[in-house]
Amino acid sequence: MIIERQVEAKMRDDKKFAYFVTKSLLQFFERDWGDTADYHPEEPAPDDPCKTGAFYRYGDGDWIKIRYKGRDTEVKFARADAKSPSKRQQLNELLYQHSMESQVFYMDLLMLLHKEAEENHTW
């Protein structure tokens, strides 16, 4: 098995990502071609994903590509290879990201106001 250096490094640093890669490999070996497949895994694939690659998306937006390369199985980041998300997916991701940033902003603001109130005894 060939695992790209960057993938291996992230697997060492992030146990959830390591689990994701392992789970994705199991899916690949079971002929589940991943998140960008536009056909059902039990139906014949239009091209041979074993050779062209199957794509799997991790929660933070990273894509990995798994494919057979000669006698080996190759795992690498697939940022340039993955199909672009649909406009709807992009919008949902932007809205989610904005909502998370807003929550962080308001929590920071609340903590700042709380700290100021404690310092000034203005409860």
Side-chain angles (χ1 to χ4, degrees):
M1 183 169 302
I2 302 168
I3 299 179
E4 185 180 56
R5 223 177 269 156
Q6 294 90 340
V7 173
E8 184 180 357
K10 185 165 182 169
M11 288 175 72
R12 269 184 276 137
D13 295 340
D14 183 348
K15 297 299 178 200
K16 288 182 182 180
F17 182 73
Y19 174 78
F20 161 76
V21 171
T22 303
K23 184 176 158 231
S24 299
L25 279 164
L26 290 172
Q27 286 177 263
F28 180 77
F29 294 137
E30 292 173 354
R31 303 184 68 80
D32 176 345
W33 307 127
D35 299 316
T36 60
D38 53 0
Y39 50 88
H40 195 275
E42 294 173 3
E43 296 174 4
D47 295 319
D48 185 4
C50 289
K51 292 190 170 96
T52 59
F55 298 93
Y56 303 88
R57 183 170 188 193
Y58 185 56
D60 67 2
D62 280 327
W63 291 83
I64 61 169
K65 179 180 181 179
I66 301 175
R67 69 180 181 130
Y68 288 126
K69 186 174 183 179
R71 298 173 140 203
D72 294 314
T73 303
E74 178 185 57
V75 180
K76 67 178 193 169
F77 281 118
R79 292 176 181 98
D81 297 329
K83 289 182 182 175
S84 298
S86 69
K87 295 288 183 192
R88 184 177 184 166
Q89 288 173 317
Q90 290 175 350
L91 179 60
N92 284 339
E93 287 177 27
L94 285 172
L95 288 171
Y96 176 76
Q97 187 177 17
H98 177 71
S99 71
M100 295 307 291
E101 289 170 358
S102 295
Q103 287 177 0
V104 169
F105 170 77
Y106 286 117
M107 287 302 294
D108 288 346
L109 180 61
L110 187 61
M111 293 301 290
L112 184 65
L113 291 172
H114 179 73
K115 184 177 177 183
E116 185 177 323
E118 278 185 337
E119 290 173 357
N120 296 328
H121 304 290
T122 57
W123 283 91

